[in-house]
Amino acid sequence: MIKTVIFDMDGVIVDTEPVHRYAYYKQFSELNIEVSEEMYTSFTGFSTRNTFQTLKGFFPVIDQEVEDLIQRKRSIFNDAFDTKEDLFLLEGVEDLIKDLYANKIQLILASSAAKVTIERVFTRFNLHQYFSHIVSGEDFPQSKPNPAIFNHAASLSIAPKEECIIIEDSTNGVKAAKAAGIYCIGYRSENSNLQDLSDADLVINHFSELNAQKISQITV
C-alpha cells in the first residue's frame, strides 16, 4: 500500500515554466547567446546551477561565475513572479493534494527549484500545511536524471521506498525516479508535450484521474 507521494513542483503543482522561460531568455539575450528550443528543453528538470554549468561549457563567451549567473536569473524570475497575476495551481492538483492529506498519505516535495522559489510558490498558494518535507535540488551537486534528490526524499518517508510513488512531468524527472527504483506517475500536461514520459509506470493527462484511494492501492 502506498504511504507516501513525492511531488515534483514545476509542471506538476504549478506551472512556473513560462516565468522561468522568460527569465532565462532575457538573461540569454543579456549574455548574447542563442539557445535553441531543443537545448532549452533538455534542461527541464535541471537546477539553475546545473543549467548554467552546462551553458558555460557550450558557450565560452560566458565569463561570469556560475553563482553570479544564478543570482541574476533569480532576480529576473522573482520580479516576474511577483508581478504575474495569472499564475495558478495546475487544474485538479489542489484537490488531489487535499484528498491525499485528508487520507493521511504523506506528501513530500522534491523539486529542482531553488529553496527561495519553492518558498514563494508554497507561500502564495498556502501549501506548507500539506507537506511534511521540502527537498530542493540546490542541495545536490547533480540534477535529475541523477536520482539523488529522490533517494533523499524517499529516506524522509514514513514508509520504505516500495511504498512511495513519484509524480513527475519531465523526461529527466521520470529517469531520476526510475533510477531511484521508485514507482513513477508521469503527468502529461499541455506544457510537457516535448517530454518523453515513456519510462513512467503510469501516465495521466489530468489529476482527476487520481485520488487517494486509487493511489493507495497501487501495486509496486
Side-chain angles (χ1 to χ4, degrees), residues 108-127:
I108 296 175
L109 186 84
S111 169
S112 297
K115 293 173 185 174
V116 65
T117 302
I118 295 171
E119 181 63 26
R120 265 183 154 78
V121 170
F122 269 51
T123 299
R124 180 163 176 167
F125 295 106
N126 195 25
L127 296 175

Side-chain angles (χ1 to χ4, degrees), residues 205-217:
N205 296 300
H206 194 280
F207 285 110
S208 62
E209 298 173 50
L210 299 175
N211 58 41
Q213 182 178 9
K214 288 179 181 177
I215 285 177
S216 65
Q217 293 176 349

Side-chain angles (χ1 to χ4, degrees), residues 35-190:
V35 177
S36 69
E37 188 68 30
E38 183 180 9
M39 180 183 288
Y40 182 76
T41 299
S42 74
F43 298 148
T44 305
F46 276 28
S47 66
T48 307
R49 174 171 284 99
N50 285 148
T51 296
F52 280 119
Q53 286 171 338
T54 303
L55 284 169
K56 278 175 69 71
F58 275 109
F59 299 101
V61 69
I62 303 176
D63 55 5
Q64 290 98 321
E65 295 297 323
V66 170
E67 291 303 320
D68 294 330
L69 294 166
I70 291 171
Q71 290 306 316
R72 175 57 183 153
K73 189 265 179 177
R74 189 169 291 167
S75 175
I76 300 170
F77 176 89
N78 289 344
D79 287 345
F81 182 93
D82 290 341
T83 57
K84 188 172 177 59
E85 296 180 0
D86 59 335
L87 189 65
F88 306 101
L89 295 179
L90 289 171
E91 188 174 353
V93 75
E94 185 173 13
D95 288 340
L96 176 61
I97 287 171
K98 289 179 177 179
D99 185 39
L100 293 169
Y101 181 79
N103 283 277
K104 298 188 168 35
I105 294 177
Q106 181 188 27
L107 305 181
I108 296 175
L109 186 84
S111 169
S112 297
K115 293 173 185 174
V116 65
T117 302
I118 295 171
E119 181 63 26
R120 265 183 154 78
V121 170
F122 269 51
T123 299
R124 180 163 176 167
F125 295 106
N126 195 25
L127 296 175
H128 285 288
Q129 59 188 309
Y130 304 113
F131 287 77
S132 64
H133 299 86
I134 292 173
V135 184
S136 165
E138 71 178 351
D139 290 331
F140 301 88
Q142 291 183 286
S143 293
K144 305 167 188 175
N146 186 287
I149 188 171
F150 287 142
N151 283 327
H152 180 66
S155 76
L156 301 172
S157 172
I158 58 175
K161 185 183 289 188
E162 294 74 25
E163 296 178 9
C164 300
I165 66 167
I166 291 168
I167 302 179
E168 261 289 354
D169 73 313
S170 72
T171 305
N172 288 328
V174 171
K175 286 182 177 178
K178 298 316 297 175
I182 301 174
Y183 187 100
C184 182
I185 296 176
Y187 169 58
R188 188 180 303 285
S189 72
E190 61 183 27

